[in-house]
Amino acid sequence: LAKTTQPISMDSYEGQEVNITCSHNNIATNDYITWYQQFPSQGPRFIIQGYKTKVTNEVASLFIPADRKSSTLSLPRVSLSDTAVYYCLVGDYNYGQNFVFGPGTRLSVLP
Amino acid sequence: GAGVSQSPSNKVTEKGKDVELRCDPISGHTALYWYRQSLGQGLEFLIYFQGNSAPDKSGLPSDRFSAERTGGSVSTLTIQRTQQEDSAVYLCASSRLDQGGDGYTFGSGTRLTVV
C-alpha cells in the first residue's frame, strides 16, 4: 500500500487560499488519490478524487503532477467552517483494499 | 438508504459486558469497512468486507472482536468482554468497487464508552 506523508497542521486566515500537499512516492499505476475532510464528532467526508493532472469540483481542486508522486489539495477562500482534519489516501478502489488513514493535516482557519 | 447508517449512536456499557454495533451501508455498495477512532487520534482499520466475506481481518485488535455481514448488506461488529481501552468511536464506511467512484461514504459512528 502506498504510504502518504502530509503536514500535521496548518494555520490560515479567512478568505485565503490553502494548499495542502501530500507525498506518495510509491504510488502504483492503478492507484487513485482521494482526499477526505473530518469535523469533530463526525465521520470523514469525501472531498475530491483524481488520477492525474487537475480535478476541480465545487469544494476544492486537486493538482497532481505528471510523476504522481505528490498531490496538492487546494481550498479557495477558506472560511472558519473549513477548520477540520484533512486526510490524503492513495489506493485502488477496484480491490476494496484497506485504505490506511494517516494522522492527516489539522487545518485551523482563524478570523 | 441515502447514507451509511450506524446504530446506536452512543453506547455506554460496563466493563466485561458484550456489545453489538450495527452498520447499514448504502444500497449497492459491495465493500464495507470498520474503523475505530480514539479521542484526538487518527482512524484505525479493523476489518473489511467484500460482499459477505472478509478478506482482511488484520486490524481486529484481539479475539474479543468479531464482525459479520449478511446478505451483502448489514454488518455487525461485536466486542466481547469489553475493556476500558475499547472506548472509542467506531466508524463504518461503504464503497463501490470501481475506479473513479466517490470513495468511501462514512456513517456518523457509534461512540462506545466502557465504564
Side-chain angles (χ1 to χ4, degrees):
Chain A
L1 299 175
K3 180 180 177 182
T4 60
T5 303
Q6 51 183 124
I8 293 297
S9 64
M10 293 180 70
D11 291 338
S12 182
Y13 291 95
E14 280 192 291
Q16 289 188 331
E17 177 184 80
V18 171
N19 296 308
I20 306 174
T21 296
C22 178
S23 297
H24 28 81
N25 291 318
N26 61 340
I27 188 170
T29 301
N30 292 334
D31 286 345
Y32 273 62
I33 301 158
T34 313
W35 284 80
Y36 292 83
Q37 174 191 57
Q38 186 179 27
F39 297 114
S41 302
Q42 295 185 23
R45 182 176 72 100
F46 171 89
I47 302 175
I48 196 166
Q49 178 175 272
Y51 184 78
K52 62 181 179 180
T53 63
K54 175 184 175 182
V55 179
T56 297
N57 62 22
E58 64 278 5
V59 177
S61 294
L62 179 60
F63 299 92
I64 306 169
D67 66 6
R68 303 201 326 124
K69 293 185 183 298
S70 67
S71 59
T72 298
L73 173 72
S74 181
L75 305 173
R77 298 179 300 281
V78 294
S79 64
L80 296 177
S81 62
D82 292 317
T83 294
V85 178
Y86 293 82
Y87 298 96
C88 163
L89 271 72
V90 172
D92 181 356
Y93 283 100
N94 261 342
Y95 298 97
Q97 64 185 121
N98 156 29
F99 286 90
V100 177
F101 282 77
T105 297
R106 185 173 299 276
L107 173 66
S108 298
V109 180
L110 308 172
Chain B
V4 177
S5 177
Q6 291 188 246
S7 60
S9 55
N10 281 285
K11 177 71 177 179
V12 180
T13 190
E14 291 181 352
K15 177 181 174 181
K17 300 278 183 142
D18 298 352
V19 295
E20 282 190 354
L21 312 180
R22 176 188 168 106
C23 173
D24 202 339
I26 291 175
S27 178
H29 278 194
T30 308
L32 185 147
Y33 311 80
W34 284 97
Y35 288 83
R36 75 175 175 181
Q37 187 171 35
S38 300
L39 186 63
Q41 302 299 310
L43 279 75
E44 175 188 2
F45 169 78
L46 297 178
I47 189 170
Y48 146 64
F49 287 93
Q50 182 171 335
N52 291 333
S53 64
D56 191 349
K57 303 179 182 179
S58 62
L60 294 177
S62 74
D63 58 7
R64 296 187 296 104
F65 287 72
S66 63
E68 65 175 12
R69 188 180 186 194
T70 56
S73 181
V74 173
S75 175
T76 303
L77 177 69
T78 301
I79 309 173
Q80 296 179 310
R81 306 181 301 282
T82 53
Q83 303 295 313
Q84 288 186 329
E85 61 263 29
D86 299 335
S87 296
V89 176
Y90 289 80
L91 290 160
C92 174
S94 68
S95 73
R96 292 161 26 196
L97 283 181
D98 59 350
Q99 295 286 11
D102 53 3
Y104 289 6
T105 301
F106 280 85
S108 297
T110 294
R111 182 176 298 277
L112 175 66
T113 304
V114 182
V115 298

